[in-house]
């Protein structure tokens, strides 16, 4: 829900702060091309209807991006829990947290430890375990993958809605 709220705030802010081509002959495009019609009627102007459609579309697409980010993170990113605090921990800068596999021996800060339990590490002071996810991606990779999927998906959707070949969007 927060993703949809954030997307709607960004969409509404863009409508309020960015200059859009006005409808009517007072616009530069209207003077040059004799175009005084709103975009939905074949012109280049942005009436209230086009702006409302933009807010709705950007809110839906941004919310879907947030859901995709959550799904990718849930499936492919390991959620590591620190058993001492019960909190999810993350590596510095979004990197993966070091988790040792069960029944392995490792040297952690010059202390030899024996791993016990499933995906759990104990060194006397801390204990970390993988709660969910397979741990293939870190948080930064999940974010980049979501942005790539949503960007290309948005271009594909635009090419479908406006009946344009995808190659023309990339030019």
């Amino acid at each position: 829900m927060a993703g949809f709220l954030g997307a709607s705030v960004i969409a509404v802010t863009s409508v309020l702060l960015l200059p859009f081509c006005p409808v009517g002959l007072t616009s530069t495009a209207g003077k040059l091309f004799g175009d005084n019609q709103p975009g939905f009627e074949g012109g280049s102007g942005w009436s209230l209807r086009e702006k409302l459609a933009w807010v709705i579309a950007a809110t839906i697409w941004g919310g879907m991006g947030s859901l995709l980010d959550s799904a990718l993170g849930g499936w492919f990113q390991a959620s590591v829990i620190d058993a001492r605090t019960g909190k999810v921990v993350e590596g510095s800068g979004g990197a993966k947290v070091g988790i040792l596999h069960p029944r392995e021996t490792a040297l952690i800060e010059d202390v030899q430890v024996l791993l016990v339990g499933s995906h759990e590490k104990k060194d006397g002071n801390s204990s970390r375990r993988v709660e969910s996810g397979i741990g293939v991606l870190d948080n930064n990779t999940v974010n980049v993958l979501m942005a790539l999927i949503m960007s290309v998906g948005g271009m594909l959707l635009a090419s479908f809605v406006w009946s344009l070949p995808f190659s023309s969007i990339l030019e």
Side-chain angles (χ1 to χ4, degrees):
M1 205 55 160
F4 284 95
L5 179 62
S8 67
V9 167
I10 290 171
V12 168
T13 303
S14 70
V15 166
L16 294 175
L17 298 180
L18 294 176
F20 289 91
C21 297
V23 175
L25 290 175
T26 58
S27 71
T28 304
K31 289 177 183 174
L32 290 175
F33 304 111
D35 179 11
N36 63 347
Q37 297 198 5
F40 285 145
E41 296 173 13
S44 63
W46 284 70
S47 69
L48 182 61
R49 193 170 120 200
E50 283 82 12
K51 291 178 182 178
L52 183 61
W54 160 252
V55 169
I56 291 169
T59 298
I60 291 171
W61 203 250
M64 287 174 53
S66 177
L67 292 175
L68 178 63
D69 185 72
S70 296
L72 290 172
W75 290 327
F76 299 115
Q77 179 183 346
S79 293
V80 179
I81 305 291
D82 183 4
R84 291 180 300 131
T85 62
K87 295 181 180 178
V88 175
V89 292
E90 184 178 89
S92 179
K96 292 181 185 179
V97 175
I99 293 295
L100 302 171
H101 294 287
R103 302 187 194 283
E104 289 181 6
T105 302
L107 189 61
I108 301 174
E109 299 173 352
D110 297 324
V111 178
Q112 189 79 18
V113 296
L114 177 65
L115 295 176
V116 293
S118 175
H119 297 294
E120 196 166 313
K121 159 183 102 172
K122 293 185 178 180
D123 64 0
N125 295 325
S126 68
S127 173
R128 294 180 183 161
R129 61 184 161 75
V130 175
E131 185 71 21
S132 64
I134 60 175
V136 176
L137 305 175
D138 64 11
N139 190 47
N140 297 332
T141 311
V142 167
N143 293 339
V144 168
L145 185 60
M146 179 277 304
L148 176 71
I149 291 170
M150 294 307 292
S151 297
V152 172
M155 290 187 287
L156 286 170
L157 183 64
S159 70
F160 175 76
V161 168
W162 289 304
S163 301
L164 296 171
F166 185 68
S167 61
S168 71
I169 292 175
L170 297 176
E171 293 175 356

